Amino acid sequence: MSLKCQKDSYLRSYRSRVASCRPAEPVGKGEGKYEVVLDDTVLFPEGGGQPYDRGAINGVEVLRVLRRGAVAVHFTEEPLEEGAEVEVEVDWNRRFDHMQQHSAQHLITAIADRDFGHKTTSWNLAIGAGSRCFVELAAQSVSPAQLRAIEDTCNEAIRSQIPMTPHWYRSGTPELERVRSRGLPDDFDGSEVRVVEIEGIDTNMCCGTHVSNLSHLQCIKLLHTESKKGSTLLSYIAGGRVGHYLERAYSNERTLNQLLSVSMDEHRESVEKLLKSNRVAAKVTRAQLREIAQLMAQLHLSSPSPRPFFNLHR
């Protein structure tokens, strides 16, 4: 069974019906007192590496959404009447950000595998416009040249406005044998399998919400890589997060320009000079403090009647 949000990821609201509402099992503070199940929903439950949506049901805030089998369970602070028709609304800014980051991961994973044989072993969609996501690649290292090539190819695909489309297949159909997958969840009910296709680039089993066209990603920026026990973590941002990142970077650049009285191209050299100067000053200060301590000790010993015990703290 697929949810409304999986059939149309751009749907922002939906009229549904409350199938059940019962007190939630004790959880952390602010995570919801009631478990609400609807006939269908536009709120995506946590799964496939993608965080859950936030939103509201008839104005009642939905704090989190979890999947139990084929059912999405909504957690609220207030109860809802069973059988009542309700308006379900999604926090669109959060949803679209998740769509951009998740779809970007599919594209990065496909290009890294196709062009360099670097397979993805895991990924993380960090929450928040200022956060960075990462893809873990089964590679000892990814060279700067490979990083540039993957980024350029991804952004060329975005400019080419390639469609990204979900499909549904019955379990066991031949089409699924050609699909990239890390396996189905343990509680898979054996019904339809959802496959997300980037036309001419990739097909992958996935339950998450995605853009309908790569052009909606706007752009992808690969930030850096770091080694992790035989694999490589590739940090990236996409879509609106690139704009947020650029805004912060430019603000920091202007602040440093004023503090250092140099242009951006001279930041590194200026900071290196300051650090070197500070190291020299600290070394001189330590030497002077030792000399002062020795002089104070000599002054005490040369006094007419030095005390047997002497303590001085500054």
Side-chain angles (χ1 to χ4, degrees):
M1 174 183 174
S2 292
L3 302 171
K4 202 71 178 176
C5 56
Q6 295 171 311
K7 296 173 182 175
D8 183 359
S9 297
Y10 290 82
L11 197 60
R12 304 189 188 193
S13 63
Y14 179 70
R15 294 291 297 178
S16 189
R17 187 181 66 85
V18 178
S20 67
C21 178
R22 63 185 182 86
E25 297 179 3
V27 291
K29 184 178 180 181
E31 294 189 357
K33 297 178 182 177
Y34 296 91
E35 297 182 1
V36 179
V37 175
L38 307 175
D39 282 352
D40 207 341
T41 184
V42 289
L43 300 182
F44 178 74
E46 185 176 42
Q50 181 175 323
Y52 54 77
D53 282 338
R54 300 290 290 269
I57 304 173
N58 271 10
V60 176
E61 184 181 8
V62 176
L63 301 172
R64 60 187 181 128
V65 191
L66 301 181
R67 183 182 66 84
R68 290 179 184 163
V71 176
V73 182
H74 310 71
F75 289 80
T76 65
E77 286 291 307
E78 301 175 29
L80 291 161
E81 181 184 353
E82 291 188 2
E85 284 197 0
V86 290
E87 183 78 10
V88 190
E89 297 176 293
V90 66
D91 179 339
W92 177 247
N93 290 333
R94 176 184 170 104
R95 154 69 70 75
F96 190 60
D97 172 58
H98 290 177
M99 288 166 60
Q100 288 184 318
Q101 308 314 311
H102 196 168
S103 299
Q105 177 267 315
H106 277 231
L107 182 57
I108 294 166
T109 289
I111 298 303
D113 187 10
R114 184 194 71 184
D115 293 356
F116 300 104
H118 299 330
K119 296 189 180 298
T120 293
T121 56
S122 69
W123 80 290
N124 176 264
L125 197 167
I127 298 175
S131 303
R132 293 168 289 180
C133 306
F134 73 78
V135 173
E136 183 175 355
L137 300 174
Q140 291 286 344
S141 64
V142 177
S143 70
Q146 290 178 339
L147 204 65
R148 285 192 298 272
I150 294 170
E151 181 180 298
D152 289 346
T153 303
C154 286
N155 284 313
E156 177 59 33
I158 290 170
R159 290 189 292 272
S160 298
Q161 303 179 45
I162 296 173
M164 189 169 188
T165 312
H167 303 283
W168 285 264
Y169 299 101
R170 297 295 300 179
S171 180
T173 56
E175 288 85 355
L176 294 178
E177 296 177 6
R178 299 186 293 272
V179 171
R180 181 168 55 83
S181 172
R182 293 203 299 270
L184 293 166
D186 294 336
D187 59 356
F188 175 62
D189 61 7
S191 57
E192 291 182 324
V193 177
R194 185 170 181 266
V195 173
V196 176
E197 176 191 14
I198 304 176
E199 189 175 290
I201 296 178
D202 184 50
T203 52
N204 180 29
M205 289 185 192
C206 184
C207 63
T209 56
H210 292 278
V211 298
S212 61
N213 191 290
L214 291 186
S215 63
H216 297 179
L217 294 182
Q218 300 172 300
C219 65
I220 287 173
K221 180 60 187 173
L222 306 184
L223 298 171
H224 69 274
T225 62
E226 56 184 280
S227 297
K228 179 194 172 184
K229 296 181 180 178
S231 62
T232 298
L233 297 182
L234 192 163
S235 177
Y236 76 92
I237 49 177
R241 293 197 189 192
V242 178
H244 286 292
Y245 186 87
L246 181 59
E247 182 180 359
R248 294 198 314 276
Y250 184 64
S251 176
N252 289 337
E253 175 192 327
R254 285 179 57 83
T255 300
L256 287 171
N257 288 349
Q258 295 170 357
L259 291 173
L260 300 173
S261 299
V262 297
S263 66
M264 180 188 71
D265 293 336
E266 300 172 280
H267 284 176
R268 180 172 178 174
E269 181 183 357
S270 180
V271 171
E272 286 176 344
K273 286 180 179 178
L274 282 172
L275 291 174
K276 183 177 180 181
S277 176
N278 286 342
R279 285 194 294 268
V280 172
K283 185 177 180 180
V284 170
T285 299
R286 285 194 299 271
Q288 291 174 336
L289 288 172
R290 281 194 295 269
E291 291 180 10
I292 291 173
Q294 291 169 354
L295 289 172
M296 293 299 295
Q298 292 173 7
L299 181 64
H300 170 69
L301 292 173
S302 63
S303 63
S305 54
R307 299 191 301 274
F309 297 99
F310 175 70
N311 178 57
L312 175 66
H313 175 73
R314 286 185 177 177

